[in-house]
Amino acid sequence: MTDATSDPITLNQEADLPQAVVRGYWASVWNRLKYDYVTLFCLVLIVLIVLSAVFAPWLAPFDPEKSSMANRLKPVGYKEYLLGTDEQGRDILSRILYGGRTSLAMGILPVAFGTLIGGLFGIIAGYYGGRVNMIIMRTMDVFFAFPSVLLAVAISGSLGGGLQNQLASLTIVFIPPLCRVAETAASQVRTMDFVDAARASGASTFSILKDHVLITVISPVLVYASTLVSASILLASGLSFLGLGVSPPTPDWGLMLSTLRQSIWVQPLVCAIPGIAILITSIAFNIVSDGLRVAMDVKS
Amino acid sequence: MWIYALRRLILTIPILLGVTIICFLLVQIAPGDPIQSLLPPDASEADAAALRAYYGLDKPLVIQYAVWLGKVLTGDLGMSIQVDAPVAEEVGRAFANTITLALLAVALAFIVSMILGVIAAYKSGTWIDKLFTSVAVFGISVPTFWLGVVLVIIFAVELNWLPAAGMGSSGSEHFSYLRWEDFKFAIMPMIALALPPLGIMTRTTRSSVEEVLNQDFVQTLRAKGLGEAAVLRHAVKNAMPQIIAMLGLQLGYLIGGSVLVEMVFNWPGTGYLLNKAILSRDLPVLQGTILVLATSFVMINLLIDLAQSIIDPRIKRS
Amino acid sequence: MEHPKKPEPHVRDPHPRDTGGPAQPMLIARDVKKHFPIHAGLLNRQVAEVKAVDGVSFSVMKGETLGVVGESGCGKSTLARLLMHLMDKDEGEIILDGLSVGTYQGMPLQDLRRSMQMVFQDSYSSLNPRLTVEDSVAYGPSKQPGISKKKAREIARDILEKVGLRPSLFGARYPHELSGGQKQRVNIARALALDPRMLILDEAVSALDKSVEAQVLNLLNALKAQLDLTYVFISHDLHVVHYISDRVLVMYLGQVVEIGPVDRIYADPRHPYTRALLDCQLSMHPDDRVEQAPLAGDPPNPVNPPSGCRFHPRCPFAEEICSSKMPELGDTLRAGRDQHLTACFMAQPNSGHSKAPTQAELLKRSAAAPAPMEA
Ligand SMILES: Nc1ncnc2c1ncn2[C@@H]1O[C@H](COP(=O)(O)OP(=O)(O)O)[C@@H](O)[C@H]1O
Ligand code: SF4
Ligand SMILES: [Mg+2]
């Protein structure tokens, strides 16, 4: 033990911990993630899918909207048509590449908007508690009374087709669950001593929300949001499948599946291709978000 | 317990009110003036105003809502624009078809997920576990409408074993699941519909059974010389409340989420009705269907919660 | 384990920010109350209230350390939060160096923040896991008007040095990379970063190992002398309070039951509750001290406190009067700092309790002890 006369200020406190590797939170997340090969593979896959959508104009062998009556419903591998053609003779591969643009955008944008809006409401509800919390969360509860597909179809169905409407309805679908996650996290932070310490040092509520609540809430919300991207892709393609998305001839995976469905008796394999694109993308996002969740779990 | 049940019941009322508000607003957010579509193109402003007053559309929104809610509470969901029949009748008929299909799908998902989940938990970490977990991921990620198309391609187009769509010659009125001629129409929609809940429930079953298997008392049971089958039975029994809760939730989702599958198979349920209503912009039918589906979703959740609190009073919910 | 000797209190020059003069107590709490409503039932009506702090009065002199002890749940943390204005009090007044806080003519809250800070118990929630040590300490200063981010960091590094953490080594660390003692040093540094005159320390060493605890207590004593601080030191651990305090306040179910100079309280506890606490904790060997309810009987329930003396259901000396009348503590604000006050009928002459002292006994006792000094 220390002897009574030693000056506590020069006590060798530093001895009781070895020179720890000092690194931030995200570095430690990456450290765990880099040994999860399945997740990494899917991450690479997503990057490739995104790149191929972004660079579709350079990658696509044909104009995705140019039809050709002579080349209707050709099988996979017919001439230059690597994945065959659709009922109007348009190249499936080109349409898949271009269609990835709307499908990916509709996977990510609604979740991003939902995160912003739902996260904001959730943080406010969680941090302020009381009546504010009650009003916000009871309103969200009403939206939870609708299964997500139903809510999306209801809003889109009444707004009608078009990308903006699809974006709006999907955003509304994702606000309540994201709000709930943010609310749970924020109401936990609210009871933490470090928030009281910040208040005691005279920080304004806004500063506390910005500097303490936000950085704590952001990781559970982002992890949860990442699980929704796949759901959003599925919902969006479902809406497009119902005709509640982009208007033809713009390519979109869900819409392609919907029109090709009439031709399953002629070219069954070709008809299944757009769905495969949806499936692969959605699986990749699911696996990555799950890997991310595990890697970001600080307790493990 | 009863306090909880009563409280849960009372809390459902504002939710249902909220549901009606959203359904009411659905028609309000729709683009276009509903009156214009009813009027002949050469109608005057005065004609429009008269019709507006006739339908009560000149009143403030709150009044319109109150009037509409009053009708809904007496079972009047308005008239379908497309077929000139009461919406309630149409929805009622379709709802029966939807719920039978959903029940079949949930039963299928339950049985298969129990098998997969329990085996995966028992063989935790082995390749069997990984395989079954992959099936679960597939189930969650698959677009059901595409799966439906693929099933049709395989079993109707290529193999010609099952009919591609519809409910068979006897129609929805006389449809019987006990007759093969009828039942075969339900097989593919049932599988397509069952896959997402199957994926989710396999995960739930696996994790809750595994959790029980890792607990100390299971080791004690083993030490006491209990056979593996008995140990497993014990684990499943302990994990059951959680699985049942998930089951009920999935049933609710299927009732609302079968829109796409019903469309692929032309299954004359609410999803099919909804799709027709969207295509023809038949807003009363859209509104009525959504209202019925959301209400039944809320009621199913309520029933599960109540059943849960009876089965397992330890579960405290806020 | 012997605690090292605490430094002798010495007379200091007045603090540059002093407003009330040396005789003015640093802090006065007058009849402070906080009741938490309890909601239950179908409609969430208020059915009862927790009387967490129920009429507490005391004063803390400049340069003094007031220890606050009591079982867990007796309202110590609530009291701390009320003093810090982290929570609105229901009733009462808090006066800092002669200025009533939060009132129109008194001290604005912002000034209180500069004058009084709080050190929290070392727990997973005391430091933001996402901020580095330096960021945590610099946070308070950086929120003050006229202090730049850079200046705040300078202040933080300076303070870290003062609490024995080399900024170059610890500044960039995250809380999970620190030991308990180091975290607590950061907590202290954070509180000191605004250059306060007074610290409220709520269970500041309670989560630490014994050896680390002694180091942190030493640090607190050294800082107090160096920075001319006043402490309210809250703990359920009587050993620690004995070591660090000049005076001690004993709380039971939201009320003060005994207050007096530390040596007199420990040598001659008058309240049966204080006696029980001391018997229970001091008799045990310090190394196997455990946190346990020091007394038999029902654990205290502040929701429906017993009538009369709140301690009577657990008190071995309880008599009829104890359950019908509430014993008065006396005026803690008028009495001097040497005054020893007890809220028990056994300590008050002619109270009706059979063990109450007669006037003669009381005189004898006060002759033996130094005469109480009038304020
Ligand atoms: N925010 C709150 N709401 C309701 N009750 C509370 C709240 N904070 C504390 N209490 C209650 O007040 C009493 C005193 O708590 P506390 O001040 O934390 O005691 P201590 O710090 O002495 O352990 C306890 O019974 C506690 O349950
Ligand atoms: S007043 Fe009575 S009950 Fe209370 S402590 Fe004194 S003797 Fe015990
Ligand atoms: Mg406490």
Side-chain angles (χ1 to χ4, degrees), chain C residues 82-94:
Chain C
L82 291 172
L83 296 179
M84 282 304 303
H85 286 258
L86 287 171
M87 204 181 248
D88 291 330
K89 53 191 179 310
D90 295 342
E91 272 176 45
E93 191 182 16
I94 292 167

Side-chain angles (χ1 to χ4, degrees), chain C residues 98-163:
Chain C
L99 297 173
S100 180
V101 181
T103 56
Y104 175 62
Q105 289 193 321
M107 174 184 274
L109 218 52
Q110 198 63 31
D111 288 2
L112 169 92
R113 304 300 191 206
R114 299 252 288 107
S115 297
M116 193 153 103
Q117 283 290 307
M118 182 161 169
V119 177
F120 294 87
Q121 179 168 10
D122 163 51
S123 71
Y124 74 101
S125 85
S126 63
L127 292 170
N128 189 335
R130 293 303 187 67
L131 292 185
T132 61
V133 166
E134 197 177 292
D135 286 341
S136 274
V137 178
Y139 188 77
S142 76
K143 291 297 155 191
Q144 301 306 311
I147 295 186
S148 66
K149 281 244 151 57
K150 187 158 160 282
K151 177 80 181 130
R153 288 182 172 281
E154 265 167 39
I155 294 174
R157 278 195 288 270
D158 198 41
I159 298 283
L160 282 172
E161 197 86 59
K162 278 207 176 79
V163 299

Side-chain angles (χ1 to χ4, degrees), chain B residues 3-311:
Chain B
I3 294 285
Y4 170 76
L6 199 62
R7 188 179 177 143
R8 182 71 180 73
L9 211 63
I10 290 174
L11 284 180
T12 307
I13 294 169
I15 300 271
L16 285 178
L17 265 179
V19 167
T20 59
I21 291 176
I22 291 183
C23 289
F24 174 73
L25 289 178
L26 277 181
V27 171
Q28 311 299 319
I29 60 170
D33 185 349
I35 292 299
Q36 290 304 330
S37 58
L38 294 175
L39 286 170
D42 56 345
S44 68
E45 271 303 307
D47 290 341
L51 202 61
R52 209 176 292 276
Y54 175 76
Y55 279 110
L57 294 177
D58 53 343
K59 303 242 166 49
L61 220 53
V62 181
I63 306 285
Q64 288 187 41
Y65 168 70
V67 171
W68 174 79
L69 184 63
K71 283 191 190 160
V72 166
L73 288 177
T74 59
D76 177 8
L77 297 179
M79 293 296 280
S80 159
I81 294 171
Q82 227 0 210
V83 293
D84 200 28
V87 171
E89 240 171 62
E90 290 248 311
V91 177
R93 210 175 313 123
F95 189 68
N97 291 335
T98 293
I99 208 147
T100 38
L101 188 60
L103 281 172
L104 277 178
V106 153
L108 177 70
F110 175 67
I111 294 166
V112 179
S113 69
M114 279 302 280
I115 296 170
L116 296 186
V118 170
I119 294 178
Y122 190 69
K123 298 270 180 195
S124 169
T126 66
W127 65 270
I128 298 186
D129 177 23
K130 293 207 174 89
L131 177 72
F132 288 178
T133 316
S134 311
V135 172
V137 174
F138 177 81
I140 294 162
S141 311
V142 72
T144 49
F145 47 98
W146 171 77
L147 184 68
V149 172
V150 170
L151 288 175
V152 170
I153 291 175
I154 297 173
F155 293 104
V157 178
E158 300 291 339
L159 298 173
N160 200 14
W161 286 356
L162 294 169
M167 260 185 125
S169 52
S170 38
S172 64
E173 238 94 306
H174 307 285
F175 188 89
S176 163
Y177 288 94
L178 299 175
R179 207 165 37 223
W180 171 246
E181 284 78 61
D182 289 350
F183 183 69
K184 65 182 179 185
F185 284 89
I187 292 177
M188 288 197 292
M190 176 175 90
I191 295 174
L193 206 53
L195 217 64
L198 194 158
I200 293 170
M201 283 166 64
T202 302
R203 275 190 177 185
T204 312
T205 308
R206 184 192 170 283
S207 66
S208 38
V209 171
E210 192 188 25
E211 193 180 312
V212 178
L213 281 177
N214 284 338
Q215 276 166 12
D216 290 341
F217 81 92
V218 175
Q219 298 306 323
T220 320
L221 289 181
R222 282 207 174 106
K224 280 186 181 158
L226 211 63
E228 285 303 289
V231 167
L232 210 53
R233 196 155 355 107
H234 213 87
V236 172
K237 219 173 83 186
N238 271 277
M240 220 47 186
Q242 238 180 315
I243 298 170
I244 297 282
M246 191 47 101
L247 181 80
L249 198 64
Q250 293 303 317
L251 177 65
Y253 279 124
L254 284 193
I255 287 176
S258 59
V259 188
L260 295 158
V261 171
E262 287 185 12
M263 186 193 156
V264 170
F265 292 99
N266 288 347
W267 185 267
T270 47
Y272 188 65
L273 187 65
L274 214 48
N275 187 43
K276 269 198 315 192
I278 289 169
L279 287 180
S280 57
R281 295 213 57 76
D282 190 344
L283 289 176
V285 172
L286 179 83
Q287 185 183 46
T289 316
I290 303 278
L291 182 62
V292 168
L293 290 178
T295 306
S296 55
F297 184 62
V298 172
M299 296 321 273
I300 288 174
N301 281 341
L302 174 68
L303 288 179
I304 301 162
D305 268 13
L306 294 182
Q308 276 266 299
S309 71
I310 293 167
I311 298 169

